[in-house]
Amino acid sequence: MLYHIFYHLSSVFSPFNVFQYITFRAGGAILTSLLICFVAGHYIIRKLETFKIKQIVRTDGPVTHLGKNGTPTMGGLLIMLSVVVSTLLWAKFDNRFILWLLVGTLWLGFLGFCDDYLKLKKRDSKGLSAKGKLFGQTVFAAFLAAYLNFFPSNLKFATLVNVPFLKGFFIDCSFLYILFVIIIIVGSSNAVNLTDGLDGLAVGSIAIVAFSLALLAYFAGHLQIANYLKIINVSGAGEISIFLFAVVGSCLGFLWYNSHPAEIFMGDTGSLFLGGVLGMSAVFIKQELILVILCGVFVVETLSVFVQIYCYRRTGKKIFKMAPLHHHFEMLGQFETKVTIRFWIVGVILAIISFASLKLR
């Protein structure tokens, strides 16, 4: 909105010309979302407490988590508010990627809200059924995949998937690319959801991935940089970085309240849409497989759940003391904060590896 108002006034007042620069608006987005979280955080926490919207901790989890019972949840509403408002202020409304990201935020956020609401209504840690949640995610992802089938980010590379570390090597998914997009979006949404189990773990990891994707989006949208790094150029992708920097700011602001001991949890209201928009962003900028590296923490957490379920059903024995993986380390006696910070460190390392792969292509 600010771009459409002030940039067109630059002929009258030349300093307004700064609104044309993505870097300036991205900085504005991250600061705006951060400030919204700081200003609105305490108010939303008090309101959630007033309406008794509090976490119901599963009884079969780590004993140390029983003390978290009654902590306000649905904090994803705060994150969603800051991301949407910041994006509306600083991004261009005529950018198709921004419109899709906002729709994805609202759709998946509403799906997560329904899940959290049912948990509170049933007074149980289980909300929406797994099938119901998966159906809602898949419907949205299918619509987006169908759209990209007719209006791809880059027509030349419409169904091609770039393989990291292999210079100029692409896999042509052909008609299966639609299914591939659905798997990326649904998978990333659920992976973040599974990782959201320790104070600050998910939101800190999301901030690392969102920051990395924001830089990649800026590179992809800049023709000269894209050609230099030999990555796929996507017209209009630079605006995605503004949305993602808004996500970074909101995550940092939310972490202020979510750091141990957490005053508020994001719940599925936050985790489902945050994971989903990461997957959407990677698909838009044609960095689908780099997302797997960037989201390595989320991927391993998800795999630990699948491995645990598979082995237990086949052999009756558990590989991990508890899944997802972060609970396994807790059960080994490691402090929650230590596990969280170590996972963040791994996330930073994976981001460095991802960027190191760019010039190896």
Side-chain angles (χ1 to χ4, degrees), residues 33-327:
S33 58
L34 182 66
L35 287 174
I36 290 174
C37 281
F38 281 163
V39 172
H42 282 299
Y43 174 80
I44 288 181
I45 290 173
R46 289 197 302 271
K47 284 298 180 182
L48 292 173
E49 289 176 335
T50 300
F51 290 108
K52 298 181 179 180
I53 302 176
K54 299 180 179 181
Q55 181 75 13
I56 300 172
V57 177
R58 46 188 289 197
T59 56
D60 59 341
V63 178
T64 54
H65 284 217
L66 295 177
K68 300 175 185 288
N69 205 40
T71 302
T73 187
M74 284 195 191
L77 292 171
L78 174 61
I79 301 176
M80 193 186 309
L81 171 69
S82 61
V83 169
V84 171
V85 171
S86 183
T87 301
L88 290 176
L89 284 175
W90 295 100
K92 293 182 180 179
F93 292 162
D94 57 355
N95 184 281
R96 58 177 178 149
F97 301 125
I98 290 297
L99 295 177
W100 269 107
L101 286 167
L102 288 174
V103 171
T105 295
L106 296 176
W107 177 275
L108 295 173
F110 176 73
L111 187 66
F113 175 85
C114 291
D115 189 35
D116 286 334
Y117 174 77
L118 288 176
K119 289 176 183 177
L120 293 168
K121 187 176 181 180
K122 296 176 182 178
R123 304 302 300 171
D124 188 8
S125 60
K126 295 180 181 179
L128 278 175
S129 66
K131 289 182 179 179
K133 192 184 300 183
L134 190 62
F135 176 77
Q137 294 166 317
T138 304
V139 167
F140 172 77
F143 272 107
L144 177 56
Y147 169 82
L148 290 175
N149 183 59
F150 293 104
F151 307 100
S153 299
N154 184 307
L155 186 59
K156 182 181 177 182
F157 299 92
T159 60
L160 298 181
V161 177
N162 184 62
V163 180
F165 300 103
L166 298 180
K167 189 174 183 179
F169 184 79
F170 296 88
I171 298 174
D172 189 355
C173 296
S174 187
F175 64 92
L176 291 177
Y177 187 72
I178 291 179
L179 178 61
F180 181 67
V181 169
I182 294 173
I183 292 173
I184 288 289
I185 296 173
V186 174
S188 59
S189 180
N190 285 306
V192 170
N193 185 232
L194 288 172
T195 306
D196 185 27
L198 299 182
D199 296 349
L201 174 58
V203 74
S205 300
I206 292 166
I208 295 168
V209 176
F211 181 82
S212 303
L213 282 174
L215 294 181
L216 289 172
Y218 180 77
F219 297 159
H222 195 292
L223 182 60
Q224 288 75 23
I225 297 177
N227 289 336
Y228 174 72
L229 294 175
K230 300 187 185 305
I231 61 176
I232 298 172
N233 174 238
V234 177
S235 178
E239 290 297 310
I240 298 173
S241 65
I242 294 173
F243 175 88
L244 290 171
F245 274 119
V247 170
V248 173
S250 65
C251 286
L252 293 178
F254 187 77
L255 185 60
W256 185 270
Y257 303 103
N258 186 237
S259 57
H260 187 75
E263 300 172 59
I264 187 174
F265 298 136
M266 73 167 75
D268 285 14
T269 306
S271 60
L272 289 188
F273 96 78
L274 286 170
V277 297
L278 294 181
M280 291 172 65
S281 300
V283 168
F284 287 151
I285 64 176
K286 301 297 296 178
Q287 295 292 343
E288 301 94 340
L289 293 186
I290 272 195
L291 180 71
V292 178
I293 302 174
L294 279 173
C295 290
V297 169
F298 303 126
V299 171
V300 171
E301 289 272 76
T302 304
L303 288 176
S304 69
V305 173
F306 287 137
V307 170
Q308 184 85 321
I309 293 173
Y310 177 79
C311 292
Y312 186 75
R313 288 179 177 176
R314 289 295 299 268
T315 66
K317 297 181 180 179
K318 296 181 179 180
I319 298 295
F320 306 105
K321 289 184 176 294
M322 188 177 179
L325 188 61
H326 58 261
H327 288 320

